[in-house]
Amino acid sequence: MHVDLYTYLYIMEQTETLVRSIIRGIQEKKGSKIAVADLSGINGTICRNFVICQGNSPAQVEAIAESVGDMVRKELHEKPAHVVGMENAQWVAMDYTDVLVHVFLPDVRTYYDLEHLWEDAPLTQIPDLD
């Protein structure tokens, strides 16, 4: 598929807006260690960005995921295409097509180590709020 420059720039701007809204949703519930992996320059990836964070308990993981959903719906009028993992809330994945959100418990995050799964992707660490 070929897109012109203006369409490409529009898509990139929409994706960045979505990522910022997701981060606000995470921070609203004190999610920590937020990392954004930019997969847009890697051929064959399933999305443009991964947003990865963690909560300290299953209840917090669930609250973070719900906050992300609420924030994106309120700000951008979008819903995730799929959400999985809410039943045990150790790893919740939210699919916004161009952006996949992963909310982990710390030990589950360490085990799967998604940040290093895509070593070619530039990684941006978002400082925790106090």
Side-chain angles (χ1 to χ4, degrees), residues 3-48:
V3 296
D4 63 75
L5 177 60
Y6 295 107
T7 302
Y8 173 77
L9 292 174
Y10 176 77
I11 292 168
M12 294 305 291
E13 181 180 321
Q14 295 299 349
T15 301
E16 288 176 18
T17 300
L18 175 58
V19 168
R20 285 191 298 272
S21 185
I22 289 165
I23 290 169
R24 281 191 292 278
I26 294 167
Q27 291 174 331
E28 179 80 16
K29 296 298 178 183
K30 307 286 191 237
S32 62
K33 298 187 177 167
I34 303 169
V36 180
D38 179 356
L39 307 175
S40 62
I42 302 173
N43 290 331
T45 59
I46 57 174
C47 63
R48 295 183 185 279

Side-chain angles (χ1 to χ4, degrees), residues 40-97:
S40 62
I42 302 173
N43 290 331
T45 59
I46 57 174
C47 63
R48 295 183 185 279
N49 293 96
F50 272 7
V51 179
I52 305 163
C53 71
Q54 64 190 47
N56 293 319
S57 67
Q60 187 183 19
V61 167
E62 185 176 334
I64 292 166
E66 289 174 355
S67 178
V68 167
D70 292 345
M71 188 71 65
V72 173
R73 191 170 34 259
K74 181 176 73 172
E75 292 183 355
L76 305 176
H77 310 288
E78 288 188 43
K79 294 180 182 177
H82 295 68
V83 177
V84 295
M86 290 293 273
E87 54 281 342
N88 63 12
Q90 294 186 28
W91 174 7
V92 175
M94 306 175 76
D95 181 356
Y96 282 97
T97 308

